[in-house]
Amino acid sequence: ALELIKDSNLRVKLLENSMRLNSGLANAGFNMGTTGESPIAAIIINDKDTAVAYWQNMMQEGVYVNLAVPPATPNGLHLMRCSLSAAHTFEQIDYMLEKFIAVGKKLNVLD
């Protein structure tokens, strides 16, 4: 498996995907809990009720995200987390961004 990864463009594609999602979320105005180099994107939600509503709305929109709340998170953070792979397309990532932004506006997480 390590030889396959070493000799492929999978790492490059994963980094491109990570940068696209994380920077897209940050540019939209989300409070980020991750950096662009992470294949895990996390946005910080101010309270548990909003975080649960966000998670439910994203699932209804067809985007699977993980809801992470205390005590499973550090410093009492409420997070929407999703993981990327090299197999995701830019179209899928753009769809995720569109839904993150729409739900963020709906729930007053974004202006």
Side-chain angles (χ1 to χ4, degrees):
L2 293 175
E3 289 299 318
L4 287 173
I5 292 172
K6 184 174 87 172
D7 294 332
S8 74
N9 290 324
L10 293 176
R11 289 180 297 155
V12 171
K13 177 64 174 156
L14 179 57
L15 181 59
E16 290 172 352
N17 285 349
S18 300
M19 295 296 289
R20 188 176 190 98
L21 181 59
N22 279 287
S23 64
L25 292 168
N27 290 339
F30 286 101
N31 184 9
M32 299 297 295
T34 53
T35 66
E37 295 180 4
S38 174
I40 298 171
I43 61 171
I44 299 170
I45 307 295
N46 289 333
D47 63 86
K48 184 178 179 180
D49 291 339
T50 304
V52 170
Y54 211 110
W55 174 76
Q56 290 171 330
N57 276 265
M58 290 297 287
M59 298 294 278
Q60 290 170 352
E61 293 290 342
V63 178
Y64 181 81
V65 295
N66 292 304
L67 171 63
V69 296
T73 56
N75 304 319
L77 294 175
H78 303 87
L79 304 171
M80 291 292 99
R81 297 178 71 229
C82 58
S83 302
L84 292 171
S85 75
H88 282 100
T89 65
F90 281 175
E91 292 79 18
Q92 290 169 322
I93 294 168
D94 291 345
Y95 180 83
M96 292 167 59
L97 285 168
E98 176 186 318
K99 297 306 175 183
F100 265 110
I101 292 167
V103 172
K105 288 179 179 178
K106 177 181 176 181
L107 297 177
N108 297 314
V109 172
L110 292 176
D111 294 329

